[in-house]
């Protein structure tokens, strides 16, 4: 008998995610994420001298983002992304996001 087991530890990020944190930590997390997988489109926005926000897009939300890039000047879209997307992002801090991705 053969039993097929699936690994449920994969993060269920099929949405629009907003990760807040320190600029240096966000950039390191973004680089690690891009090295590890190519499932997510990332958009980094610097909010303050030391604070940044990283947006993750996947699935239908990625398609919606691409549609908006064709209609709106990219700088306007990048700085006000939450205004244009059809739903609010799930908000995480950097430590929570690292725990979800690094426990795989």
């Amino acid at each position: 008998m053969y039993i097929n087991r699936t690994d449920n530890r994969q993060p269920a990020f099929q949405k629009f995610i907003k990760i807040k944190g320190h600029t240096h930590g966000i950039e390191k997390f973004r680089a690690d994420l891009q090295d590890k997988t190519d499932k997510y489109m990332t958009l980094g926005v610097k909010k303050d001298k030391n604070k940044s926000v990283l947006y993750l897009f996947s699935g239908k939300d990625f398609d919606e983002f691409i549609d908006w890039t064709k209609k709106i000047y990219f700088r306007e879209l990048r700085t006000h992304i939450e205004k244009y997307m059809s739903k609010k992002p799930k908000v995480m801090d950097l430590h929570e996001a690292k725990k979800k991705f690094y426990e795989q």
Side-chain angles (χ1 to χ4, degrees):
M1 176 195 270
Y2 179 76
I3 298 174
N4 187 9
R5 296 176 56 182
T6 59
D7 189 7
N8 292 334
R9 293 181 296 171
Q10 295 282 23
F13 286 158
Q14 294 298 321
K15 298 183 170 102
F16 176 35
I17 309 290
K18 177 181 181 179
I19 301 171
K20 295 180 179 182
H22 191 270
T23 302
H24 179 70
I26 289 287
E27 289 302 318
K28 183 174 180 346
F29 177 73
R30 183 182 192 182
D32 291 345
L33 182 64
Q34 289 175 345
D35 288 342
K36 194 171 193 177
T37 183
D38 60 349
K39 293 181 184 178
Y40 312 106
M41 198 284 287
T42 61
L43 177 68
V45 179
K46 193 168 183 176
K47 294 290 184 181
D48 194 359
K49 183 178 180 182
N50 295 323
K51 300 288 181 182
S52 290
V53 175
L54 180 67
Y55 292 101
L56 298 178
F57 300 92
S58 67
K60 292 179 182 179
D61 295 308
F62 175 70
D63 295 337
E64 182 181 355
F65 177 79
I66 295 299
D67 291 340
W68 278 113
T69 59
K70 296 174 186 174
K71 299 174 187 174
I72 297 174
Y73 182 57
F74 186 74
R75 182 174 180 191
E76 173 67 21
L77 180 63
R78 183 176 162 265
T79 55
H80 299 101
I81 188 68
E82 293 181 45
K83 175 180 161 185
Y84 294 106
M85 295 298 285
S86 62
K87 59 184 172 184
K88 296 285 183 183
K90 180 181 177 190
V91 179
M92 295 183 174
D93 66 344
L94 185 58
H95 298 292
E96 185 181 352
K98 282 182 181 180
K99 190 169 23 169
K100 285 197 182 258
F101 276 101
Y102 292 148
E103 70 181 20
Q104 296 179 17

